[in-house]
Amino acid sequence: MPLPSSPSLPPADLFDAPAEPPSPPSHGPAGSSRLLQGLNPEQLAAVTLPGEPALILAGAGSGKTRVLTTRIAWLMQTGQITPGGVMAVTFTNKAAKEMLTRLSAMLPVNVRGMWIGTFHGLCNRFLRAHWKLAALPQSFQILDTGDSLSAVKRIIKAMKLDEERFVPKQVSWFIAGSKEDGLRPQDVVIHDAQSQKMVEIYQAYEDQCQREGVVDFAELMLRTYELMRDHASLREHYRHRFQHILVDEFQDTNKLQYAWLKMFAGDPADGRTAAVLAVGDDDQSIYAFRGAQVGNMSDFEREYHVRQVIKLERNYRSYGNILDSANALISHNTRRLGKNLRTEAGPGEPVRVYEATSDYAEAQWLLEEAQQLHRAGTPRVEIAILYRSNAQSRVLESALFNAGVPYRVYGGQRFFERAEIKHALAYLRLTENPNDDTSFLRVVNFPTRGIGARTVEQLQDAARASGRSLYQSVGSVGGAAGSKLAGFTTLIDRLREDTRGLTLREIIERMLEASGLITFYRTEKEGQDRIENLEELVTAAEAFVTIEGFGKDAVALPVDETSPGTIAAPLPGQPEALAAVDLLPDAETGEILSPLAAFLTHAALEAGDNQAQAGQDAIQLMTVHAAKGLEFDCVFITGLEEGLCPHENAMTEADGLEEERRLMYVAITRARQRLYMSFSQTRMLHGQTRYNVKSRFLEELPESALKWITPKQQGFGSGHAQQYQQAWQRGSGPGGIVGAGRNGGWQPAAAPPPAWAAPVPTAMAQSAAKASGHGLRQGQSVFHNKFGEGVILTLEGKGDDARAQINFGRHGTKWLALSVAKLTPIE
DNA sequence: CGTTGGAACCTTTTT
DNA sequence: GGTTCCAACG
């Protein structure tokens, strides 16, 4: 199918007309020199690289994000690129938001139209635009890991296979792994009967997802890749569009992501490519265990004939002793690209090492130390406690909890993955797409309405026999069970009818009532927390509405500077600097997703890291993996014991020890001023006491940078560290609020003040004028190429986000993005 | 059909 | 130690 030559994707075209002849890079507008201020020579070189493939080896704390964002701003300000011509890819939503926030502080640009996001987020955007070509329903929903696992379980059951031989988790992992290698069922090499069956399950899973109109995370990537691979017109379009592609954390890319990148950037074997700027650090590659290929860095350098490799080795984060430790440790790894961090900040304090008698004693010591740091003036959010595996957090949590010290645990269960939230989302998904069997099964009997396993089995048989969804097969079950099922589908249908045209908030409130979820949790003794979470879901929806601007008072809100991702109340007099989810319009018709479908997508893609009350001063607890990309004044690395760090499970894998060492390297380089490392002689793990030897990594650190602070006498119980503690103790005892529990938002450093004084690029001014002048009004009749004649019901938003709700009669009522949809007014 | 109790499981991660 | 799944019971 040919791609419409114009308009293509939302705001891109608004910027496509070059405003002015591009200025030579080094003599850009006056504003560019201001952008480049304060960069060191290497950073400056990276920012002002010529428009060709380049690789940046960015050490920890070397100002990588600054380089990335300044590069984009510089390219735009010197007229080398329009916002629509840039793609910037990250791995986490956090990183993407950080980039958007910093960028909008540097330039008065509407970042919404820019392709800046996570791999999966951008794939989502792409597939929403080309859903027909991708053979998906426009409102396809996204399965998270749990959804995907239960889908696999269902298939294994349906195929009457032994769950011992085909462990659902492993099968799920196999499917995701295959997809991440770009392999469809027919491409997987079969060795034996076992792998033959695995492939059959994979195939059945694919068929099922396709039938239900759902995709898992890996599918987002793979389908985008295949669509680009198979359609020359798409390749042409996007390759023409994106002249600059920036990839963050390149060392974490897997095979598929690299192939995906080639699709958008062009294969150097075929000639000219986009200017790909790959930024990465091989020493921080800690995701090999889930398919990341560090080798992509050297492959990229070779295949894209990279002429410029820039090393950012100057560290702006940590003091010398911390960096010496990191450098010494990582030098034990072989096959490195080679890099050494240096600082001009001086040696700073020594790295403190502590040996505890038990995990309990370790936690107790840590608590006292952290309290002391806090009393000495360190904010709690600047104190991080890191550990290798989540299981270690419990003893730490209980120590903090008992002492009444506020803390927050990152990771663990995420907001949108909580059972009650998943139930609520399942109801919402069913109103969008009743054929979503995963959601159907989740709530068909929750709260219980007398539909038992027996009935469900009958229904599943009927559905399987006719190749239809459970919802569609309800009629084939007779008797009392049948009418109970019919009652459920009626509930869903009625919900869909009754919520038509309501706001997101109203839809969710109505659903919570109608489904009986609220009533159920009210009567449950442990239900109060769950009700609070459901209320939080309503709040999240409300915030989402505000971000999306679907509400009646649609205004673009500035991102709260103190916590990107949290949307603050509108700041009067501030220009729009909105970094939000986009409207996800169809490439051809401009039809956008309904607010509900968009919200559900958002829930799946951003499992809710911005859900917690940011701003509370709490000690930060997280795994080392979760700490990547963050920094703190004081860092505790705990549990430095053989078997734990390095983790025993990692030792069986090839390159396992080196990855563990990199993990430790990441942990060390999180610290700005003060670093503690601790280990314990005994540890309760999985209900067993283990006697551990201290980690080999401790031996790999330079003795000169360390200071052993274990007190001479160690004792019994909590009083063990008294001597040591006495020296510290002064001032008040522990105070504060009870720990905030799991899941949360970030509390990053405040963004620099926006440089609004900078000259407004002409392209921007033009686009604003062009887009706001759509000249449409409520009640007006319009003609759409696809949907025919319609009447405008609502007009919302302005500029790039302007959209209209239009009644197209038999085509239904649709939301259209005015920047994309081709509408002709009819008088 | 729904609840409860006990056995068996697992314990790097992100989208 | 905590969670999850299944079997037996109400």
Side-chain angles (χ1 to χ4, degrees), chain A residues 115 220 240:
Chain A
W115 274 50
L220 285 169
H240 174 74

Side-chain angles (χ1 to χ4, degrees), chain A residues 286-329:
Chain A
I286 54 175
Y287 287 109
F289 74 93
R290 63 164 211 243
Q293 310 259 321
V294 202
N296 282 349
M297 291 183 85
S298 44
D299 287 355
F300 171 74
E301 188 182 345
R302 191 183 63 251
E303 292 174 0
Y304 277 78
H305 315 297
V306 168
R307 295 191 299 164
Q308 301 260 17
V309 179
I310 295 179
K311 288 185 188 178
L312 302 180
E313 297 175 295
R314 183 162 157 188
N315 178 291
Y316 293 92
R317 182 183 294 161
S318 317
Y319 281 102
N321 281 327
I322 295 172
L323 289 190
D324 289 348
S325 303
N327 284 331
L329 178 86

Side-chain angles (χ1 to χ4, degrees), chain A residues 572-592:
Chain A
Q574 285 249 5
E576 293 175 16
L578 182 68
V581 201
D582 45 348
L583 299 170
L584 304 169
D586 178 295
E588 262 182 280
T589 65
E591 185 182 352
I592 55 185

Side-chain angles (χ1 to χ4, degrees), chain A residues 142-445:
Chain A
I142 298 163
L143 300 183
D144 66 23
T145 317
D147 296 331
S148 166
L149 183 65
S150 51
V152 168
K153 276 186 195 157
R154 264 192 289 142
I155 285 168
I156 292 177
K157 263 210 187 93
M159 291 173 73
K160 300 195 165 54
L161 293 169
D162 183 6
E163 286 205 12
E164 305 265 293
R165 267 189 68 190
F166 300 93
V167 182
K169 255 196 190 142
Q170 283 170 8
V171 177
S172 191
W173 186 80
F174 162 80
I175 293 174
S178 300
K179 289 187 183 185
E180 276 158 14
D181 282 342
L183 303 175
R184 290 295 181 186
Q186 62 269 21
D187 306 320
V188 178
V189 181
I190 294 164
H191 321 281
D192 48 20
Q194 175 84 3
S195 59
Q196 165 75 41
K197 268 278 177 281
M198 292 281 265
V199 170
E200 282 172 32
I201 301 173
Y202 180 11
Q203 183 66 58
Y205 173 83
E206 290 249 279
D207 296 343
Q208 178 174 288
C209 288
Q210 188 62 31
R211 205 168 47 236
E212 295 180 25
V214 295
V215 297
D216 60 29
F217 288 132
E219 186 69 28
L220 285 169
M221 290 286 326
L222 181 53
R223 205 169 287 214
T224 300
Y225 162 76
E226 288 174 342
L227 218 56
M228 286 289 278
R229 182 195 61 194
D230 298 340
H231 296 275
S233 59
L234 280 180
R235 279 200 306 278
E236 209 173 299
H237 175 84
Y238 284 99
R239 286 182 186 178
H240 174 74
R241 174 174 172 174
F242 297 122
Q243 291 132 49
H244 283 268
I245 300 181
L246 299 91
V247 188
D248 193 14
E249 307 276 14
F250 199 83
Q251 77 281 353
D252 287 337
T253 53
N254 61 31
K255 268 189 185 170
L256 178 57
Q257 282 156 340
Y258 186 38
W260 181 99
L261 175 68
K262 279 184 182 169
M263 282 300 144
F264 281 92
D267 194 319
D270 308 335
R272 234 182 91 77
T273 68
V276 179
L277 187 70
V279 182
D281 181 358
D282 53 318
D283 290 334
Q284 291 190 68
S285 158
I286 54 175
Y287 287 109
F289 74 93
R290 63 164 211 243
Q293 310 259 321
V294 202
N296 282 349
M297 291 183 85
S298 44
D299 287 355
F300 171 74
E301 188 182 345
R302 191 183 63 251
E303 292 174 0
Y304 277 78
H305 315 297
V306 168
R307 295 191 299 164
Q308 301 260 17
V309 179
I310 295 179
K311 288 185 188 178
L312 302 180
E313 297 175 295
R314 183 162 157 188
N315 178 291
Y316 293 92
R317 182 183 294 161
S318 317
Y319 281 102
N321 281 327
I322 295 172
L323 289 190
D324 289 348
S325 303
N327 284 331
L329 178 86
I330 204 67
S331 70
H332 286 81
N333 273 2
T334 54
R335 293 198 308 270
R336 296 174 59 216
L337 293 177
K339 199 169 39 42
N340 227 22
L341 294 176
R342 57 173 202 280
T343 180
E344 284 162 26
E349 302 177 36
V351 175
R352 293 163 167 82
V353 186
Y354 184 83
E355 175 175 8
T357 48
S358 69
D359 52 347
Y360 177 78
E362 183 189 34
Q364 214 56 41
W365 161 76
L366 210 144
L367 164 70
E368 282 151 15
E369 197 73 32
Q371 285 288 73
Q372 182 51 43
L373 287 169
H374 181 60
R375 281 194 289 272
T378 308
R380 291 202 184 88
V381 283
E382 284 299 339
I383 303 174
I385 303 177
L386 309 185
Y387 34 84
R388 175 65 234 272
S389 65
N390 279 310
Q392 288 167 254
S393 78
R394 192 142 290 117
V395 61
L396 300 168
E397 277 186 72
S398 70
L400 291 163
F401 184 88
N402 291 334
V405 178
Y407 66 93
R408 176 165 298 143
V409 185
Y410 288 85
Q413 244 214 342
R414 311 177 103 68
F415 181 72
F416 285 114
E417 283 164 11
R418 290 164 195 228
E420 62 275 19
I421 300 299
K422 295 230 72 167
H423 284 130
L425 293 177
Y427 278 103
L428 297 173
R429 280 163 80 140
L430 283 176
T431 66
E432 268 303 311
N433 171 15
N435 299 330
D436 180 344
D437 286 355
T438 306
S439 298
F440 189 100
L441 287 171
R442 181 182 285 277
V443 291
V444 66
N445 197 33

